[in-house]
Amino acid sequence: MTGRAAQDSKLPKAFSWLEESPFFQAGLQGYSDAAMRIISRRHGSPYCVTEAMPDQFLINGGKGLKDAELDPEDHPIAGQLMGSNPASMAKAAGVLLELGYDVIDLNMACPVKRLRKNIRGGHLLNRPEEAIAILREVRQAVGSSAPLTIKLRRGFDDERGSEKDFLRILETAIEEDYFGVTVHGRTVLQKYEGPSRWDFLAELTRRYPHYRIMGSGDIFTPESIFEMISETGVAAVSVARGAIGNPWIFHQAHLLLQGKEPRAPAVEEQGSVLREHFELCSRFHPENRTRNLMRKFGIKFSRHHPEPEAAEKAFIDCRTVEDWWRVLEQLYETAQDGHQAIPPPA
């Protein structure tokens, strides 16, 4: 089975990066805001996906709509939608187009249990008729205005019927001319436990050789990006948790493409990127949100510090913005001569 998108070899502008740099930053709930996406781009991610945005938040306006506004640096970008009502999802897709999103991505993968009640995210994999209705309604609403993609897990569970439901949804996306699909190699019930089944991704690329299957799951090093491509034949790799607190993974992947050896970031470089991330975060969020986000990101960044346990504890203990800057100064930004390398903002 092939769709028109699969037959057309010319890539849309939003995916012009695909053949030369086959990796990108995934949508990550609670993490992949504009600040994280821009940091990832500055380190080599050619494309980013937003956190999943509930359709009603966009339709109703207010904070949800405000949070969806884009920075000029944040392109090409996919706005990821989550919802259960076909008409609302189609309307929300229109809102994203008006805001200037380059791609509309439908999230049918998120495994969070609280989404079960309203049949959203990955729980749609257990309701294929409803998932298919959304795919068709969004396609009709968007038309040729922007490429459409979909994010799936390999099934709701490991039952044979779940795989059949998955394939029905995937084949509808192909029929409806969705540009591509990103498939996570775990089931919804697995959440993040156990290994991601790359063999399932390989089976998909063999079964649908003319369609763009992109892979996700267990990508924590730049080497694993190319291992997944080699083992499965996916068109690109979605870097999810492996990019949290580790924007260097994209630069390192580019080095591997050039036949060069990736290097770990020096502590001064880590401090510089943390500062840069904080400044971006404070541009997009109020102080309390910036404090909470950067405490969380600091904990993730601490894995690269020469003393990771001490750095992690220092960020965990942060309660104020001043605490956070004190940790940055003490652990990251002190020059060799003992003077402060980069002063905190006034």
Side-chain angles (χ1 to χ4, degrees):
M1 178 181 297
T2 59
R4 293 190 303 278
Q7 296 171 359
D8 183 2
S9 60
K10 184 178 180 181
L11 292 171
K13 182 179 179 181
F15 289 97
S16 61
W17 51 272
L18 188 57
E19 293 179 351
E20 292 187 1
S21 304
F23 45 82
F24 62 95
Q25 186 195 285
L28 293 152
Q29 206 64 22
Y31 286 98
S32 63
D33 65 347
M36 179 181 176
R37 296 193 303 264
I38 290 173
I39 287 291
S40 292
R41 291 182 190 280
R42 292 177 181 178
H43 284 80
S45 178
Y47 175 74
C48 294
V49 183
T50 69
E51 300 173 75
M53 295 178 279
D55 52 357
Q56 291 297 332
F57 282 19
L58 294 168
I59 294 169
N60 294 339
K63 186 179 184 299
L65 185 60
K66 179 69 176 175
D67 287 346
E69 292 178 358
L70 291 173
D71 185 89
E73 189 176 349
D74 204 7
H75 289 278
I77 186 167
Q80 189 174 90
L81 285 176
M82 181 185 290
S84 57
N85 180 278
S88 296
M89 288 286 279
K91 189 173 182 180
V95 172
L96 291 182
L97 291 177
E98 291 176 2
L99 289 172
Y101 281 82
D102 304 297
V103 177
I104 307 299
D105 184 65
L106 305 186
N107 184 314
M108 297 185 183
C110 185
V112 175
K113 187 175 180 179
R114 63 180 170 79
L115 300 176
R116 182 184 301 173
K117 180 179 178 182
N118 295 321
I119 317 299
R120 294 182 293 163
H123 299 281
L124 280 164
L125 288 168
N126 217 16
R127 305 283 279 271
E129 296 296 341
E130 295 177 32
I132 287 168
I134 290 171
L135 288 171
R136 289 176 173 161
E137 191 85 9
V138 172
R139 161 50 69 203
Q140 185 174 358
V142 171
S144 60
S145 299
L148 293 170
T149 57
I150 179 174
K151 174 71 182 291
L152 299 172
R153 283 187 169 233
R154 65 177 173 85
F156 185 77
D157 53 33
D158 281 312
E159 298 297 323
R160 178 62 181 164
S162 187
E163 184 175 329
K164 289 182 178 179
D165 291 341
F166 168 91
L167 292 175
R168 285 185 63 199
I169 295 168
L170 172 60
E171 290 180 1
T172 299
I174 296 172
E175 291 169 357
E176 292 295 326
D177 202 17
Y178 277 62
F179 176 82
V181 59
T182 299
V183 180
H184 191 295
R186 293 187 180 88
T187 66
V188 173
L189 290 189
Q190 264 188 283
K191 296 185 177 178
Y192 297 99
E193 298 298 324
S196 174
R197 276 190 52 194
W198 289 13
D199 63 316
F200 183 84
L201 301 178
E203 291 170 15
L204 286 181
T205 62
R206 286 193 293 267
R207 186 167 184 165
Y208 305 99
H210 302 295
Y211 193 61
R212 295 180 189 89
I213 308 290
M214 294 173 273
S216 175
D218 292 347
I219 302 297
F220 294 101
T221 66
E223 290 82 5
S224 63
I225 292 172
F226 301 103
E227 289 167 4
M228 175 179 276
I229 292 172
S230 176
E231 292 180 24
T232 69
V234 293
V237 173
S238 172
V239 185
R241 290 180 294 160
I244 301 174
N246 184 26
W248 299 282
I249 192 170
F250 299 109
H251 176 65
Q252 291 165 344
H254 281 287
L255 289 176
L256 287 174
L257 282 173
Q258 298 164 22
K260 299 177 181 177
E261 189 71 22
R263 63 171 181 81
V267 67
E268 294 83 3
E269 183 180 355
Q270 296 173 40
S272 178
V273 173
L274 273 164
R275 176 188 174 87
E276 184 182 8
H277 197 150
F278 187 101
E279 290 173 343
L280 283 166
C281 199
S282 63
R283 186 205 303 177
F284 298 119
H285 302 294
E287 182 176 316
N288 62 333
R289 176 70 173 148
T290 296
R291 178 194 66 227
N292 294 337
L293 277 171
M294 291 310 300
R295 175 179 179 271
K296 185 166 64 171
F297 273 108
I299 292 168
K300 297 294 185 180
F301 270 89
S302 69
R303 293 173 297 180
H304 304 281
H305 194 273
E307 298 180 22
E309 293 182 2
E312 179 184 36
K313 184 179 185 306
F315 281 118
I316 288 173
D317 291 343
C318 287
R319 293 294 178 268
T320 66
V321 167
E322 290 73 23
D323 289 342
W324 192 94
W325 281 103
R326 193 173 301 114
V327 170
L328 188 70
E329 177 186 349
Q330 292 173 350
L331 295 184
Y332 292 90
E333 295 185 344
T334 300
Q336 295 294 324
D337 60 4
H339 291 91
Q340 185 177 296
I342 306 176

